[in-house]
């Protein structure tokens, strides 16, 4: 769950997670998105949705950040910038992929200029899909990342003949 | 100082504007396009939604005996084109928007239907539910179900074309010999 430190012991990870619950500071990286998700992130910082109730503040440098908010499909031009920001942020850190482009490539998933998803470049902790996600969805994702909310959807599978009641012809 | 007083006045007049989101869930606005939800029992497997999907969030994989529709929420734009083209209303946009997950697999939906084999050449060509649907519609329109229709509908498009071509050739030959 906590990226950057896969060798972390459960005790250390628990302490780190507890510290994230207090006041995680976020740094925002745009990796070639259309700015729709960025505007929604700004929206969550306004008094209307006021994410500072949970101690979250947007900081201007990844050196101060606990959480990286990544938007965009990771274009080839922005790959280096993203890796710089990821390596500069101190461990332990969380990565939240915001928007369709960051989660699975979005409409740029088969483009030759983009990697198609943040998880192709760096490990991701929480995916927040939506094009763009609503500010409430962003708050839900942030709370899920720091362990204050529960996940609401899970994988669904259905096989005809196994999961249905209709008799075969 | 006057600036602070001005802000204080605005604050006192307007009161609290912040939504208490996680404690109180604000009702979604009218006509919100949330995540699409599949009705597994209603889907007949025509594949129209996968053709219409602009971002390839819906994809179809045709294997030997199975037809699999995959929906990946991490790519879905919630545009509603799938809802528009679905003939059975099996895919609908809901008002759920809290889709955050810690796992990529949790954003997937998988629907697997059975395909039927051609009675002529044995090639798999369409899903069982499409045949059922076509049969039901035909029976309704023509007021009954005939064995001729069963012979035709269980053939794949290639075999059907060949069968009709042969029938046409036979009719032509007969007509020539008679004259």
């Amino acid at each position: 769950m906590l990226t950057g430190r896969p060798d972390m012991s459960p005790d250390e990870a628990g302490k780190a997670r507890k510290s994230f619950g207090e006041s995680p500071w976020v740094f925002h990286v745009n990796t070639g998105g259309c700015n729709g998700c960025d505007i929604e992130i700004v929206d969550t910082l306004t008094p209307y949705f006021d994410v500072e109730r949970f101690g979250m503040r947007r900081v201007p440098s990844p050196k101060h950040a606990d959480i990286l908010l990544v938007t965009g499909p990771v274009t080839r031009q922005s790959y280096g910038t993203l890796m710089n920001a990821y390596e500069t942020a101190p461990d332990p850190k969380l990565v939240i992929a915001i928007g369709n482009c960051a989660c699975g490539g979005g409409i740029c998933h088969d483009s030759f200029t983009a990697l198609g998803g943040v998880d192709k470049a760096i490990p991701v902790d929480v995916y927040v899909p939506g094009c763009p996600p609503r500010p409430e969805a962003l708050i839900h994702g942030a709370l899920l990342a720091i362990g204050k909310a529960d996940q609401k959807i899970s994988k669904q599978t259905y096989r005809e003949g196994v999961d249905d009641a209709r008799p075969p012809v | 100082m006057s600036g602070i007083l001005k802000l204080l006045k605005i604050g006192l007049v307007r009161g609290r504007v912040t939504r208490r989101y996680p404690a109180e869930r604000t009702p979604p606005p009218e006509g919100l396009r949330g995540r699409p939800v599949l009705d597994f029992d209603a889907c007949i497997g025509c594949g129209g939604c996968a053709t219409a999907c602009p971002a390839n969030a819906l994809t179809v994989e045709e294997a030997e005996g199975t037809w699999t529709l995959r929906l990946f929420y991490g790519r879905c734009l919630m545009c509603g084109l799938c809802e528009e083209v679905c003939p059975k209303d099996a895919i609908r946009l809901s008002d759920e928007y809290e889709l955050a997950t810690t796992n990529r697999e949790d954003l997937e939906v998988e629907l697997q239907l059975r395909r039927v084999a051609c009675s002529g050449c044995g090639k798999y060509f369409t899903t069982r539910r499409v045949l059922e649907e076509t049969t039901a519609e035909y029976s309704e329109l023509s007021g009954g179900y005939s064995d001729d229709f069963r012979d035709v509908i269980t053939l794949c498009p290639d075999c059907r074309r060949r069968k009709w071509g042969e029938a046409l050739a036979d009719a032509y030959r007969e007509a020539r010999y008679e004259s």
Side-chain angles (χ1 to χ4, degrees):
Chain A
M1 183 73 184
L2 293 162
T3 60
R5 290 279 299 276
D7 56 330
M8 192 184 270
S9 71
D11 196 35
E12 280 178 317
K15 273 183 193 166
R17 176 149 307 287
K18 206 178 168 191
S19 72
F20 276 120
E22 300 300 325
S23 63
W25 286 3
V26 299
F27 179 70
H28 170 213
V29 197
N30 186 339
T31 60
C34 69
N35 285 116
C37 303
D38 309 344
I39 288 167
E40 297 297 320
I41 289 171
V42 173
D43 206 6
T44 56
L45 297 168
T46 57
Y48 213 58
F49 292 100
D50 201 12
V51 86
E52 225 170 295
R53 288 176 293 160
F54 313 107
M56 288 177 201
R57 273 189 65 199
R58 195 183 150 275
V59 288
S61 164
K63 282 181 186 176
H64 305 151
D66 300 309
I67 299 181
L68 290 181
L69 304 177
V70 190
T71 58
V74 193
T75 55
R76 280 153 64 170
Q77 290 280 346
S78 65
Y79 176 72
T81 320
L82 174 65
M83 291 314 281
N84 272 346
Y86 182 71
E87 279 155 21
T88 313
D91 290 334
K93 58 202 163 201
L94 292 168
V95 177
I96 306 183
I98 286 171
N100 273 350
C101 296
C103 287
I107 53 167
C108 314
H109 68 281
D110 51 0
S111 166
F112 68 95
T113 60
L115 265 69
V118 178
D119 50 6
K120 304 257 171 76
I122 56 176
V124 175
D125 295 294
V126 172
Y127 297 86
V128 186
C131 193
R134 287 172 64 79
E136 284 103 334
L138 287 180
I139 294 172
H140 179 249
L143 292 179
L144 181 67
I146 61 175
K148 285 188 174 177
D150 295 327
Q151 192 174 310
K152 295 202 175 175
I153 59 168
S154 58
K155 182 169 177 161
Q156 287 174 282
T157 48
Y158 176 93
R159 265 162 237 288
E160 190 190 359
V162 181
D163 299 322
D164 66 343
R166 284 159 68 122
V169 170
Chain B
M1 190 62 198
S2 64
I4 293 170
L5 284 175
K6 204 175 162 187
L7 281 176
L8 199 64
K9 194 185 158 197
I10 292 172
L12 287 172
V13 169
R14 282 304 302 273
R16 176 199 278 267
V17 291
T18 308
R19 295 184 183 184
R20 306 181 178 189
Y21 163 64
E24 286 170 28
R25 190 173 184 273
T26 39
E30 194 70 26
L32 173 81
R33 297 198 300 257
R35 74 168 170 126
V37 176
L38 275 168
D39 184 352
F40 296 127
D41 290 319
C43 177
I44 57 170
C46 63
C49 48
T51 314
C53 186
N56 293 352
L58 283 153
T59 46
V60 165
E61 191 190 312
E62 289 180 340
E64 187 70 0
T66 57
W67 180 94
T68 315
L69 179 71
R70 286 202 180 83
L71 167 57
F72 180 48
Y73 289 127
R75 213 177 279 155
C76 174
L77 306 170
M78 288 125 192
C79 60
L81 286 179
C82 46
E83 187 187 29
E84 207 169 281
V85 300
C86 186
K88 304 300 290 178
D89 291 339
I91 188 158
R92 291 196 152 256
L93 298 189
S94 66
D95 57 358
E96 294 167 40
Y97 51 82
E98 292 143 323
L99 306 179
T101 54
T102 53
N103 200 346
R104 199 188 152 107
E105 275 80 50
D106 285 338
L107 294 170
E108 287 173 4
V109 180
E110 202 180 297
L111 164 65
Q112 199 180 78
L113 298 182
R114 262 184 276 165
R115 296 175 87 202
V116 287
C118 170
S119 60
C121 61
K123 202 175 77 184
Y124 288 91
F125 70 105
T126 189
T127 60
R128 192 176 59 89
R129 288 185 184 177
V130 164
L131 282 196
E132 268 180 31
E133 202 58 38
T134 320
T135 312
E137 258 180 47
Y138 175 81
S139 308
E140 203 177 298
L141 286 172
S142 63
Y145 181 78
S146 62
D147 287 343
D148 289 348
F149 182 69
R150 180 190 282 273
D151 289 347
V152 172
I153 203 170
T154 53
L155 289 174
C156 71
D158 289 344
C159 289
R160 205 177 300 160
R161 207 171 297 133
R162 195 174 301 123
K163 185 181 163 126
W164 284 344
E166 279 167 9
L168 202 64
D170 286 346
Y172 177 69
R173 221 173 282 130
E174 270 175 33
R176 232 175 68 172
Y177 288 143
E178 273 170 16
S179 62

